[in-house]
Amino acid sequence: MNFKHLVVALSVGVASVAGGLAQAQDIGNRTIRFGYGLNEQSNQGRAAKVFADEVARLSGGKMRVRAIGAAALGSDVQMQQALIGGAQEMMVGSTATLVGITKEMAIWDTPFLFNNEKEADAILDGPIGQKVMDKLQEKGLVGLVYWENGFRNLTNSRQPVARLEDFSGIKLRVMQNPVFIDTFRTLGADAVPMAFSELFTALETKAVDGQENPFNTILSSKFYEVQRHLAVTNHVYSPWIMLVSKRYWDRLSADEKKVLMDAAIKSREFERQDTRAEAAKALADLRAKGMQVTEFTPAETNRMREKLGAINKTIAQNVGEDLWNEVQAELAKLRR
Ligand code: KDG
């Protein structure tokens, strides 16, 4: 490298350090309580750590995220209220539990909406996902990014579930969300809405027979210890959403908001990759832990879809026909 190039390289280097320091100067000392519901060893917990580390890195250590798992700060619904009231700064949780706050979130509960992760990423990270996320602001929440909870599958302690008729008689815990309640009552199960934080004990004591969650959660929450049967239904793709209290967000500088947004995007990329890698080998892991696995055939899956057709009409009415049609049109484009 000749002298001229060396001078240029040095001046660029000095500028970037100065830029960083300048950014740090607009950043105050902040401690952010970031709550989540799964345990620290889960995919949710691993991604929360990535987010916390990235915030510290980007802010030069001035902004510290305390990631607090296992619903220690409350259930998803309780944390949402704490953010709205300004008693807690951030959380990540299910979009399904936000339906009582922003009805448009129910679009993501539509059975069989997405056929694969590619479609989910394209819609959630595109203008439609942003539009639905922006609806939260009028209710005191700021959505930053979607993470992947994943495709949901059914476990129970009573019987193998391999066809539509097998749902009948199962007392099934579902998320506190009207679409999930309607979906499983339509399929013949006795749907019982319950917070995630109460679920393991309810399964262990047989207060409920079963539940439905992605493979990752079945593994990390050790549901295989209290559930013998796993039915691979992939009946809906569930997103998680990272939220900030709007009361807190509005007090941040532009640089502080950029730190949180950039760290959120990095955590999203990590979380999806990490979750998919874990899910890819989860079925073998769950079999190895003794679960009896049945996989729904395409024919049985189509029977479920047909049975649930009426649910789609209700969702379209609740979220608004325009949003419903926009999602369907975008999916049709992706499937061409
Ligand atoms: O706090 C846990 C929830 O974020 C999430 O796991 C929701 O899938 C969920 C469930 O079944 O409650």
Side-chain angles (χ1 to χ4, degrees):
M1 181 187 291
N2 65 36
F3 181 72
K4 182 168 171 289
H5 288 165
L6 183 61
V7 168
V8 169
L10 279 172
S11 58
V12 166
V14 167
S16 66
V17 169
L21 286 177
Q23 190 185 54
Q25 279 159 4
D26 296 342
I27 292 171
N29 287 305
R30 306 257 188 200
T31 299
I32 295 162
R33 287 160 296 182
F34 181 100
Y36 61 95
L38 302 195
N39 59 49
E40 214 173 299
Q41 294 70 39
S42 69
N43 53 332
Q44 201 178 58
R46 296 192 293 267
K49 186 177 182 316
V50 167
F51 175 70
D53 293 348
E54 187 66 0
V55 168
R57 186 182 75 83
L58 292 174
S59 67
K62 289 194 164 215
M63 297 172 78
R64 312 296 303 179
V65 172
R66 279 180 55 218
I68 303 164
L73 295 182
S75 66
D76 284 14
V77 172
Q78 288 165 332
M79 290 196 285
Q80 288 156 11
Q81 292 307 318
L83 264 62
I84 290 169
Q88 181 180 326
E89 293 76 32
M90 292 188 70
M91 68 171 284
V92 65
S94 174
T95 56
T97 51
L98 279 168
V99 169
I101 294 171
T102 298
K103 61 181 171 50
E104 292 80 1
M105 280 287 168
I107 189 76
W108 312 132
D109 304 329
T110 305
F112 302 108
L113 180 67
F114 298 130
N115 290 337
N116 51 57
E117 290 92 349
K118 192 163 176 283
E119 290 181 2
D121 295 356
I123 300 285
L124 292 168
D125 298 349
I128 299 173
Q130 189 60 52
K131 183 195 295 186
V132 172
M133 199 185 265
D134 289 347
K135 294 261 182 200
L136 291 165
Q137 299 220 11
E138 62 203 47
K139 298 295 176 68
L141 295 169
V142 177
L144 297 188
V145 292
Y146 294 98
W147 283 1
E148 176 162 296
N149 189 357
F151 282 97
R152 303 180 77 91
N153 296 295
L154 182 125
T155 67
N156 85 92
S157 55
R158 276 171 62 123
Q159 62 208 38
V161 175
R163 53 201 301 269
L164 197 49
E165 289 71 16
D166 297 337
F167 284 97
S168 176
I170 291 180
K171 196 170 182 186
L172 187 76
R173 177 270 177 181
V174 296
M175 288 192 280
Q176 297 149 301
N177 169 296
V179 172
F180 277 77
I181 294 167
D182 289 351
T183 293
F184 286 97
R185 282 182 181 160
T186 302
L187 292 173
D190 172 10
V192 178
M194 182 187 295
F196 183 82
S197 43
E198 299 159 26
L199 178 49
F200 188 91
T201 303
L203 294 170
E204 193 175 35
T205 58
K206 299 275 192 297
V208 292
D209 302 315
Q211 64 85 45
E212 43 83 54
N213 250 292
F215 292 147
N216 307 74
T217 300
I218 298 168
L219 265 174
S220 65
S221 296
K222 297 184 170 30
F223 290 156
Y224 51 83
E225 290 178 351
V226 290
Q227 300 277 268
R228 180 159 177 69
H229 303 285
L230 167 61
V232 182
T233 52
N234 291 316
H235 52 272
V236 65
Y237 174 94
S238 262
W240 281 320
I241 185 168
M242 187 186 288
L243 299 170
V244 188
S245 162
K246 191 169 188 312
R247 286 190 184 193
Y248 179 74
W249 180 259
D250 290 348
R251 296 202 309 268
L252 297 178
S253 69
D255 285 333
E256 290 166 330
K257 288 175 180 174
K258 186 175 185 317
V259 165
L260 293 186
M261 196 64 224
D262 290 351
I265 290 168
K266 174 153 184 179
S267 72
R268 176 185 67 193
E269 303 320 309
F270 167 84
E271 195 273 341
R272 285 174 177 167
Q273 194 179 5
D274 177 59
T275 295
R276 289 166 191 171
E278 185 180 57
K281 62 186 194 56
L283 204 45
D285 291 350
L286 291 167
R287 279 196 168 99
K289 291 189 185 296
M291 292 201 86
Q292 304 298 308
V293 179
T294 53
E295 300 193 51
F296 263 54
T297 62
E300 278 306 313
T301 299
N302 284 333
R303 288 183 71 213
M304 274 178 82
R305 280 176 187 269
E306 280 155 28
K307 184 88 174 169
L308 297 172
I311 298 269
N312 290 358
K313 289 192 183 63
T314 308
I315 295 171
Q317 282 161 2
N318 292 343
V319 304
E321 297 288 346
D322 290 351
L323 175 60
W324 175 268
N325 294 332
E326 203 178 346
V327 169
Q328 299 305 324
E330 193 58 30
L331 285 170
K333 241 193 273 179
L334 290 168
R335 293 167 181 165
R336 268 189 212 131

